[in-house]
């Protein structure tokens, strides 16, 4: 948080010293830009001015137009969900580094979900829809790095995974019926495993000793034990703690099976912590509203090399 | 207009505005096509003066049709367009003017919509090809058969944009077409053809409106011109109303929903691309002779009569005891204005006003309430009175909350009903015990050796009835069982079917995931959430909200002005993706003063740069295209690869809002400055602004005048002498590459022949110009005659007059064919009426097909079926005897000796006028033709209806029925 504040302060301070520049840069604001968008874009312009040495404030030039254009590309990408050719995106990413936009809208595409029952196949996949998420909760103010593509599952992932989990949901339901219903005396892992395998998939379990997890409350850190995270098909199912790995895995399976107790399961992209950062992760959820957030992720399958390198 | 539901709503609410077209089809004789003679009276029993074609509505279906195979190349497309125009010409048969307008460069306000359409089209196209390829591979792997991939590349419908080579070719082809028809088609002999191609700025329909508006405002205009405008857009209705011309008709294709489409992969009907199996094609007809014919009926046309809509509106809008005098014409303008709130091409519609929810009725209701307080009308000649609009908006704003809540309720109700329906259907399926081929009732299988042996059939009829109704009973039973047992299917015969039920249900529950809606307009705090999610601003950001409202108010003013006065500013556009709420329209009076004057439209290639996605860049020169993709480009931000579509509460992507960046005009122009030098001379020509063209044939009165201009080489805007061209005015300029008589015209299409004997002449035409600040008055012109009323008058008393007869076509006195008593006697003498005892007094068999084809078609279509039957049954008799008794009768009618109802005759006043004012024009030839026709009848001995629509001589009118006629009612 401190970082962002200072970024914005820096800009206003800089402009305060540079009256002429401040006046000029204000003329570049478009009529339909909100203050939030403008502040971010202004920072983008000012930060990258040096890279375009021939740009003279107040003097129209192709060079200036290029800078303005790139600033618009950046803003469109962040605020409108547009994407551009890879060469342009790369450039923008580079130029936009370090600019922090609080509470930026999130654009998801729900391709396959929406194309169902549409006017025929012609627009089978144009259902690229966006679902903007407004996060207004005060405790949820998150700073989003302006590289949404890098550290996130692909936006169409929930839709892709959903059919599999629908099948799995049914498999689990039947399995539990034959096992006499959900209860404490089951071998939860075995049930989950057989169901997943009957759906031609495998489970991924990640184990981490509890003491290796940083940032836990002091009372917990002394405890011995292991934490297990279960994923299937990169989608997070549950986390559990136990004295040994098997117990942790059983606990995690139990947590995962709890999700299957609702009317249906949904794959969603949600924010959660991973190694001290906020990331977007694919989670399997039931319909119940959640009172608390999710446990921090132990693994993160959507990391690319770039993302890895700066952690 | 961007309101697909508008027309449906209108035609349901005001059904009488629609009249089905009567179309005479060309005949074929020994393989030779005999063209329709369009000089004959219009079979629709009305004569139109001017036909206007909004060409884009024709080009699109002809180049990429949805219900037939696409044309193979550009030449075929052109021929398809020609045929389509021919067809329209045959239906409408204009007598004075044919105006063809192709969309030119549009105002900025429209460009955002064009941009979004083209970006979407491009995206859809790519995705379609991809999915096609995927499916093809899959099917071939499964061993299916698919016809080999066509070699032709996909037609990019984006090329239907001014400035492309395609549009340029089209303009050339249309010139050829017009010259050809003017030279060779007798129906075109006396008409003036205007061609406004894509090089003339302005949208097609608005160029047409400009023409009408500018003709109307000059003194020579004939106030009773009958206009017919072709196009499917709902805003043509608004435009037509906005002209205040009394005779205005719109012709459009009849919309038939759910037309079958061929599969995009194998080209067969009956399935979608998704379900394509790659099965071998079925043989069509015994020897596969129908292979290429589509099992769909040809698209038919309908007329929309705006004079009838005006009648309806008069009923709805007329208000008594107003504090100011009621003027119907002004209230029409207000109605048009209010329709803009619900949707138009230039502004997103207000979130609370949804046409499907009766928004226009709601608005009219509010309007009638509020207008008492406003002290006047909302608009005048296309200028908006903002303080009055504010009162309307505030009234809508009050209801907003309830509208959103109601919308949610309706939506939920709809979903619930749908779900129940699905469940019912499923249960019915399950209830059916045993397989479908198992017999039931009397014939149900019985186990051997049981006591209940099948009984003999008591009452076969009853038994058959029971079996027929059995399924229904089943359904009812299952419904009862369902209600009794809840969802538990204990009534089912076997546990197996139980299992199936449960399974199905689980499948069903995830079949329709709903898109997430974060705005939730039905919950408190909707306004805050709306501004937050849609605009990404806080609701307290009053400045920003004010900006949006200001832009929207400007938009309303711009749109109305556009419809009534023409384009006020080529530059203005609405710079947001969403509309504000009605309740935000506070203190709007001062928000708008005037538009920037003397703005210029884009050049065609500039427009291409601002509406095309990078994927359509092949229509542009290389260096220009480069600006759309290069990271070094200073306008790269206009061309995203991919973009988000916000469903905005809608269900389908095509209804959603495409979140595309707006074009910065300054930066675009600056960037293009550097690449202008790369244009070839050909491209420079295409980039220029063109002029409207006027064409006419040798027998037109204006012909010699224009010919003279070319011979005298008189440059510099000659005015048309009003008396030579039905009062049409405008300035003529010599064309650089003119079409001249006796100069052969080369065919641009290899399929078609050059015109060696050309008798058409072409010249540049410019609409009459008016001083700056001239205001086109939105009033009825003096001398305009309102057409006869069509709707049943509210005070029609059954006792006083005859029973009300609804009018079905254009002709108020549509004649039914009648026989008098002596004719009946003659008939019964010749025909044994007891021959077919089962069919009543006379045979009801329909007439043989040839009777419904000839040129009587229009006249006969409404004759009573009995006559049809008679004529069909006894042609020999008619040939000998029929005409004779009729001749004296007709003369009698003409003399008025049979005292028929005078009132009826005077009702035709307007119509009569319409006919007689043609003066020396076509009506003379009608007379002639009539005589000829009569001779023909006698010679050929074809059956003659006992009347001749329209052409019973000059001044004579459709003959009223004899007083003692058979009452068919």
């Amino acid at each position: 948080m401190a970082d962002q504040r200072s970024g914005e302060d820096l800009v206003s301070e800089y402009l305060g010293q540079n009256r002429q520049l401040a006046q000029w840069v204000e003329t570049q604001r478009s009529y339909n830009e909100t203050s939030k968008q403008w502040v971010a874009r202004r920072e983008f312009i000012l930060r990258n001015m040096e890279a375009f040495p021939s740009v003279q404030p107040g003097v129209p030039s192709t060079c200036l137009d290029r800078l303005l254009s790139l600033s618009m590309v950046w803003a469109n990408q962040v605020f409108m969900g547009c994407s551009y050719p890879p060469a342009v995106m790369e450039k923008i990413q580079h130029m936009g580094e370090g600019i922090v936009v609080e509470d930026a809208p999130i654009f998801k595409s729900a391709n396959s979900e929406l194309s169902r029952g549409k006017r025929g196949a012609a627009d089978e996949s144009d259902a690229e829809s966006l679902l903007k998420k407004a996060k207004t909760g005060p405790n949820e103010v998150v700073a989003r790095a302006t590289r949404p593509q890098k550290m996130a599952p692909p936006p169409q992932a929930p839709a892709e995974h959903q059919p599999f989990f629908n099948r799995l949901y049914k498999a689990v339901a039947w399995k539990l019926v034959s096992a006499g219903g959900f209860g404490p005396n089951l071998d939860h892992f075995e049930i989950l495993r057989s169901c997943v395998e009957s759906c031609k998939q495998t489970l991924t379990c990640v184990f981490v000793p509890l003491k290796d997890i940083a940032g836990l409350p002091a009372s917990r850190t002394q405890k011995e034990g292991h934490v297990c995270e279960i994923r299937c098909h990169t989608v997070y199912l549950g986390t559990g703690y136990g004295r040994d790995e098997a117990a942790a895995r059983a606990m995690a399976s139990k947590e995962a099976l709890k999700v299957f107790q609702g009317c249906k399961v949904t794959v969603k992209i949600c924010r959660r912590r991973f190694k001290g950062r906020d990331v977007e992760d694919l989670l399997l959820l039931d319909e119940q509203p959640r009172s608390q957030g999710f446990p921090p992720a132990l693994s993160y399958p959507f990391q690319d090399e770039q993302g890895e390198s700066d952690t | 207009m961007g309101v697909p539901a508008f027309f449906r709503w209108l035609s349901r609410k005001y059904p009488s505005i629609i009249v089905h077209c009567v179309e005479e089809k060309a005949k074929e004789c020994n393989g030779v096509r005999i063209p329709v003679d369009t000089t004959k009276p219009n079979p629709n029993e009305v004569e139109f003066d001017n036909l206007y074609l909004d060409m884009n509505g024709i080009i699109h279906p002809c180049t990429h049709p949805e219900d037939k195979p696409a044309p193979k190349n550009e030449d075929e497309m052109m021929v398809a367009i020609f045929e389509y125009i021919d067809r329209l010409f045959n239906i409408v048969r204009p007598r004075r003017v044919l105006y063809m307008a192709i969309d030119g460069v549009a105002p900025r306000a429209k460009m955002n919509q064009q941009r979004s359409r083209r970006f979407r089209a491009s995206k859809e196209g790519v995705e379609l090809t991809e999915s096609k390829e995927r499916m093809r591979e899959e099917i071939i792997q499964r061993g299916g058969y698919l016809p080999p991939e066509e070699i032709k590349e996909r037609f990019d419908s984006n090329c239907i944009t001014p400035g492309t080579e395609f549009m340029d070719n089209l303009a050339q082809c249309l010139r050829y077409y017009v010259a050809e028809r003017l030279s060779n088609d007798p129906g075109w002999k006396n008409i003036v053809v205007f061609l406004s191609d894509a090089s003339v700025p302005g949208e097609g329909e608005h160029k047409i409106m400009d023409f009408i508006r500018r003709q109307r405002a000059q003194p020579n205009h004939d106030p009773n011109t009958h206009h017919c405008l072709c196009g499917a857009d709902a805003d043509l209705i608004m435009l037509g109303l906005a002209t205040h011309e009394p005779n205005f008709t719109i012709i459009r294709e009849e919309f038939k929903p759910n037309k079958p489409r061929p599969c995009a992969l194998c080209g067969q009907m009956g399935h979608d691309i998704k379900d394509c199996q790659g099965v071998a094609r079925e043989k069509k007809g015994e020897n596969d002779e129908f292979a290429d014919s589509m099992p769909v009926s040809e698209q038919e046309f309908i007329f929309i009569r705006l004079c009838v809509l005006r009648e309806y509106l008069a009923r709805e809008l007329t208000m008594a005891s107003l504090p100011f005098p009621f003027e119907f014409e002004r209230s029409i303008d207000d109605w048009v204005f209010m329709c803009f709130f619900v949707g138009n091409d230039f502004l997103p519609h207000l979130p609370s006003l949804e046409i499907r929810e009766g928004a226009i009725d709601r608005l009219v209701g509010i309007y009638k309430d509020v207008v008492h307080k406003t002290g006047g009308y909302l608009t005048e000649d296309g200028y908006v009175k903002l303080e009055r609009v504010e009162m309307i908006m505030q009234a809508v704003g009050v209801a907003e909350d309830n509208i959103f809540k109601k919308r949610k309720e309706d939506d939920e109700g709809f979903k619930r009903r749908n779900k129940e329906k699905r469940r019912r259907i499923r249960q019915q399926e399950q209830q059916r015990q045993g397989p479908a081929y198992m017999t039931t009732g009397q014939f149900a299988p019985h186990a051997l050796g049981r006591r209940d042996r099948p009984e003999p059939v008591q009452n076969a009829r009853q038994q058959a009835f029971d079996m027929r109704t059995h399924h229904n009973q089943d359904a009812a039973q299952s419904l009862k069982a369902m209600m009794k047992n809840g969802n538990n299917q204990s009534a089912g015969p076997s546990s197996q079917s139980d299992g199936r039920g449960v399974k199905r249900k689980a499948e069903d529950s995830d079949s329709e995931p709903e898109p997430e809606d974060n705005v939730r307009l039905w919950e408190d705090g909707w306004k805050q959430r709306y501004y937050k999610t849609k605009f990404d601003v806080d609701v307290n950001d009053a400045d920003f909200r004010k900006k949006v409202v200001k832009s929207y108010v400007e938009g309303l003013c711009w749109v109305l002005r556009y419809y009534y006065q023409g384009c006020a500013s080529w530059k203005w556009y609405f710079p947001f993706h969403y509309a504000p709420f009605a309740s935000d329209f506070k203190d709007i009076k001062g928000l708008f003063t005037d538009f920037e004057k003397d703005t210029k439209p884009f050049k065609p290639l500039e427009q291409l740069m601002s509406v095309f996605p990078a994927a359509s860049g092949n229509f542009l020169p290389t260096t220009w295209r480069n600006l759309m993709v290069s990271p070094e480009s200073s306008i790269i931000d206009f061309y995203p690869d991919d973009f988000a579509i916000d469903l905005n509460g809608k269900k389908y992507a095509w209804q959603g809002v495409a979140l595309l960046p707006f074009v910065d005009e300054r930066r675009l122009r600056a960037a293009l400055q550097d690449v202008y030098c790369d244009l070839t001379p050909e491209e420079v020509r295409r980039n220029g602004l063109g002029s409207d063209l006027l064409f006419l044939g040798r027998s037109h009165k204006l012909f010699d005048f224009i010919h003279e201009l070319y011979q005298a080489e008189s440059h510099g805007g000659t005015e048309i002498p009003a008396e030579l061209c039905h009062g049409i005015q405008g300035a003529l300029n010599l064309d650089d590459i003119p079409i001249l008589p006796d100069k052969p015209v080369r065919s641009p299409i290899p399929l078609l022949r050059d015109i060696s004997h050309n008798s058409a002449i072409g010249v540049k035409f410019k609409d009459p110009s008016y001083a700056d600040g001239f205001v086109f008055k939105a009033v009825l012109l003096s001398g305009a005659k309102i057409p006869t009323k069509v709707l049943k008058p509210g005070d029609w008393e059954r006792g006083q007059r005859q029973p009300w007869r609804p009018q079905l076509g254009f002709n108020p006195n549509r004649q039914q064919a009648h026989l008098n008593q002596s004719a009946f006697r003659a008939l019964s003498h010749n025909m044994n009426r007891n021959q077919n005892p089962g069919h009543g007094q006379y045979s009801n068999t329909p007439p043989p097909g040839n009777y419904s084809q000839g040129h009587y078609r229009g006249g006969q279509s409404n004759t009573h079926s009995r006559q049809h039957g008679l004529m069909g049954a006894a042609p020999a008799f008619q040939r000998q005897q029929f005409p004779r008794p009729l001749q004296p009768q007709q003369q009698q009618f003409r003399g008025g000796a049979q005292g028929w109802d005078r009132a009826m005759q005077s009702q035709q006043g307007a119509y009569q006028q319409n006919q007689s004012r043609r003066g020396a024009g076509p009506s003379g030839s009608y007379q002639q033709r009539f005589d000829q026709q009569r001779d023909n009848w006698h010679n050929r001995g074809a059956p003659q209806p006992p009347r001749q629509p329209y052409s019973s001589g000059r001044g004579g009118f459709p003959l009223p029925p004899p007083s003692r006629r058979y009452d068919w009612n």
Side-chain angles (χ1 to χ4, degrees), chain B residues 702-847:
Chain B
L702 196 58
F703 180 85
D704 290 332
F705 183 83
I706 296 175
H707 205 196
E708 199 67 18
L709 288 183
Y710 273 106
Q711 269 159 6
E713 290 183 20
S714 56
H715 294 278
T718 323
E719 287 292 324
I720 299 180
E723 66 280 7
L724 290 185
C725 198
H726 307 288
I728 291 168
Q729 291 274 278
L732 301 179
N733 276 302
L734 300 189
D735 196 359
D736 309 322
I737 317 160
I739 284 179
L740 287 174
D742 303 322
K743 224 178 97 183
V745 181
R746 267 179 51 84
S747 160
I749 304 170
L751 265 68
L752 302 175
R753 260 182 274 163
D754 294 352
I755 315 169
S756 47
H757 297 286
N758 175 40
S759 59
I761 194 166
V763 68
K764 282 186 186 167
F765 171 82
K766 196 168 172 297
D767 286 330
S769 45
Y770 295 87
D772 267 359
F774 180 88
V775 174
F776 295 96
K777 289 280 173 214
V779 289
L780 273 182
L781 295 178
S782 66
K785 296 204 173 55
I786 300 293
T788 332
K789 291 257 186 289
V790 168
L791 302 182
K792 181 179 177 181
D795 56 352
W796 185 277
E797 292 294 334
R798 211 163 201 279
Q800 281 177 6
R801 285 183 267 183
Q802 299 150 310
W804 171 253
R805 270 186 185 213
Q807 177 184 329
L808 300 177
F810 282 90
N811 184 358
N813 275 350
R814 226 177 185 203
Q815 294 284 300
Q816 295 182 335
H818 293 292
L819 298 182
N820 61 14
Q821 281 187 327
S822 70
F824 272 111
R825 276 199 304 277
L827 269 176
S828 47
H829 177 75
N830 275 277
M831 291 179 66
N832 185 357
R833 61 164 85 157
N834 295 326
Q835 252 174 358
N836 293 322
H839 293 283
Q841 203 179 6
Y842 299 109
S843 163
N844 275 325
T845 34

Side-chain angles (χ1 to χ4, degrees), chain B residues 213-214 216-218 379-383 385 561 564-566 594 770-779 781:
Chain B
R213 207 164 26 230
R214 284 166 186 271
R216 259 182 119 237
Q218 49 94 359
T379 67
E380 183 173 10
D381 300 328
Y383 292 84
K385 308 273 184 239
R561 190 95 64 92
Y564 281 84
Q565 304 289 336
D594 208 356
Y770 295 87
D772 267 359
F774 180 88
V775 174
F776 295 96
K777 289 280 173 214
V779 289
L781 295 178

Side-chain angles (χ1 to χ4, degrees), chain B residues 473-485:
Chain B
Q473 285 171 359
D474 264 3
Q477 267 168 12
S478 76
L479 202 67
K480 266 182 219 149
M482 188 187 78
M483 287 193 274
K484 230 183 272 168
N485 306 321

